[in-house]
Amino acid sequence: MRLLVTGGAGFMGSAFVRQAVARGYKVCVVDLLTYAGDTCRLEEVKERIAFYRTDIRDREGLEEVFRRERPQVLVHFAAESHVDRSILEPRAFLQTNVEGTLNLLELARRYPLQRIINVSTDEVYGELGEEGRFTEDSPLRPNSPYAVSKAAQDMLGRAYFRTYGLPVITVRPCNNYGPWQYPEKFIPVIIVRALRDEPVPLYGNGQNVREWLYVADCAEALLEVLEKGKEGETYNISSGIEKRNIEVARAVLDLLGKPHSLIKFVKDRPGHDFRYALDSRKIKKELGWKARTSFEEGLKQTVEWYQKNLEWVERKLRDLRKYWEKVYQGDP
Ligand code: NAD
Ligand code: TYD
């Protein structure tokens, strides 16, 4: 089966592509290679995939790929994916995540597909207090420009299923972590900065809660959805592993043998959602998927990966420093 994977050179997309290739799928990747994209993540499968450096905002460019590849399945990861950047510069988020998705769905009306997996996020539901979990039927109340752009992407998929009968399946994963994540997201920020004995920035009081899923487990879930999921349905994908940010920071520092005194509380993220947590009984019951990797094991694998791949991080550091300066306003 021929898959077209957008954003396949990103953190989650590349984990998915590596597993899909191992399962025997024929994969073609479309990725613009923004600051977040990197073909190094696809090194081990590069002989077995086709790669197009194409912008999903570019309708003609995308059509050329569809014409040449005639994919049977679309797995749509490509996005501007970081909340803090969306606060600094919202426009790119609306353009890529909404218009880019619209371009793909429009093409799907003309180049019939058997399945479209639209990768949304738990952030579309908005925030929770200390209790409760979002189910697939919870209302969408997105709070950041990122979350709003993803909610629009998510709802476009719904509209194209209802209105045009496209075989869209929506997935809403919780926070992913693991090897190859760009060090703008929380866990690799902690690792990369602590490895260099630099302060680790925690927003607000560090009590916010996230649910953490190892990226390889998420890729497995997506393959299950692709193979067994039902058109028009939405599946939450999560692990049940909830942690306060301060707990995560301490756990990483312990693994690295670094002092907790590296933690520095900085100005809170504007509009910071307090807690995300998903009820993922549906995917367990209907597709038989559940997360396999414990937080201890996943975090150990992740930390070891960064320790072994310092060169990759080194190559990103110049851009990262500029970005960190902007986002933390020189604070930590
Ligand atoms: P990422 O930022 O690591 O990767 C995004 C990829 O999309 C990059 O390779 C980038 O080059 C590419 N891209 C960006 N703009 C593009 C454009 N205009 N045209 C073509 N390619 C473009 O993101 P990720 O963490 O791998 O997330 C993948 C998807 O999963 C996103 O849709 C994100 O919203 C969603 N998601 C992420 C998480 C998480 O914890 N990381 C959780 C839930 C959902
Ligand atoms: P992040 O990895 O950006 O994911 P998201 O905002 O999509 O959940 O952040 C995870 C949590 O960590 C979130 O509550 C914000 C917090 N955080 C910090 O405290 N410091 C940081 O430097 C970053 C990047 C995030």
Side-chain angles (χ1 to χ4, degrees):
M1 191 174 256
R2 294 187 305 279
L3 314 187
L4 190 156
V5 182
T6 70
F11 163 59
M12 284 166 61
S14 62
F16 175 84
V17 169
R18 294 191 298 271
Q19 280 193 30
V21 168
R23 278 205 200 181
Y25 287 102
K26 195 167 173 287
V27 175
C28 138
V29 169
V30 164
D31 198 300
L32 177 61
L33 300 178
T34 64
Y35 77 93
D38 192 336
T39 51
C40 287
R41 297 187 176 104
L42 296 170
E43 190 63 28
E44 68 188 67
V45 292
K46 74 171 184 220
E47 312 295 347
R48 286 180 284 165
I49 62 171
F51 184 87
Y52 294 87
R53 185 170 190 176
T54 303
D55 188 336
I56 59 167
R57 292 166 298 184
D58 166 13
R59 278 186 280 172
E60 282 84 42
L62 270 185
E63 176 149 17
E64 180 59 26
V65 178
F66 272 71
R67 209 180 294 125
R68 283 172 64 158
E69 295 289 334
R70 301 276 164 178
Q72 291 158 303
V73 172
L74 168 66
V75 188
H76 176 32
F77 290 95
E80 288 292 343
S81 71
H82 188 41
V83 174
D84 290 325
R85 287 190 195 253
S86 82
I87 295 169
L88 293 169
E89 281 162 41
R91 193 168 300 277
F93 285 71
L94 275 299
Q95 287 169 344
T96 287
N97 302 356
V98 185
E99 226 178 291
T101 302
L102 184 63
N103 289 340
L104 288 161
L105 291 170
E106 276 296 303
L107 277 169
R109 293 177 63 195
R110 291 193 282 120
Y111 294 82
L113 293 160
Q114 292 170 20
R115 279 238 185 299
I116 300 171
I117 314 291
N118 194 20
V119 182
S120 178
T121 169
D122 58 359
E123 302 195 27
V124 297
Y125 296 118
E127 74 174 345
L128 285 167
E130 291 283 358
E131 302 294 324
R133 298 186 156 264
F134 292 119
T135 71
E136 288 82 355
D137 296 324
S138 299
L140 306 196
R141 293 199 176 97
N143 292 319
S144 67
Y146 164 68
V148 166
S149 70
K150 292 298 289 186
Q153 161 178 349
D154 183 310
M155 293 289 102
L156 273 172
R158 176 188 166 92
Y160 274 64
F161 168 74
R162 278 285 294 250
T163 311
Y164 305 110
L166 295 193
V168 177
I169 305 179
T170 308
V171 291
R172 299 184 183 141
C174 66
N175 282 59
N176 273 233
Y177 70 102
W180 291 114
Q181 190 167 27
Y182 189 78
E184 62 186 350
K185 307 272 172 29
F186 187 44
I187 290 185
V189 163
I190 309 169
I191 302 173
V192 167
R193 294 183 62 105
L195 276 171
R196 312 172 74 81
D197 298 307
E198 291 173 21
V200 167
L202 247 81
Y203 293 146
N205 58 10
Q207 293 300 310
N208 300 59
V209 178
R210 294 292 183 266
E211 186 175 5
W212 292 99
L213 175 64
Y214 194 58
V215 65
D217 288 359
C218 188
E220 234 173 63
L222 287 168
L223 282 163
E224 291 306 308
V225 170
L226 191 161
E227 288 167 8
K228 301 189 235 152
K230 210 169 140 233
E231 286 174 22
E233 294 292 321
T234 297
Y235 299 91
N236 285 343
I237 303 179
S238 77
S239 62
I241 302 169
E242 284 186 60
K243 302 277 175 203
R244 294 196 188 276
N245 291 340
I246 181 92
E247 290 179 83
V248 174
R250 287 187 184 136
V252 172
L253 292 169
D254 290 345
L255 277 170
L256 290 168
K258 300 283 181 183
H260 291 184
S261 57
L262 279 181
I263 293 173
K264 173 133 195 260
F265 294 96
V266 300
K267 193 159 162 271
D268 208 355
R269 168 189 283 173
H272 196 173
D273 284 337
F274 174 64
R275 173 170 167 259
Y276 302 138
L278 293 177
D279 179 329
S280 52
R281 280 177 297 182
K282 179 173 174 179
I283 189 171
K284 280 192 194 104
K285 194 159 148 247
E286 294 183 13
L287 309 187
W289 173 86
K290 74 175 197 307
R292 293 203 262 182
T293 312
S294 69
F295 192 61
E296 292 67 30
E297 181 54 27
L299 206 56
K300 185 166 159 279
Q301 297 285 342
T302 306
V303 165
E304 283 173 9
W305 186 87
Y306 283 89
Q307 286 172 314
K308 280 197 212 115
N309 289 274
L310 289 174
E311 233 176 76
W312 183 72
V313 174
E314 208 64 44
R315 285 207 298 277
K316 310 281 175 200
L317 262 177
R318 231 188 58 200
D319 281 352
L320 271 173
R321 289 226 175 279
K322 274 194 232 147
Y323 167 71
W324 285 339
E325 184 67 33
K326 240 201 284 182
V327 71
Y328 306 125
Q329 295 169 0
D331 194 352

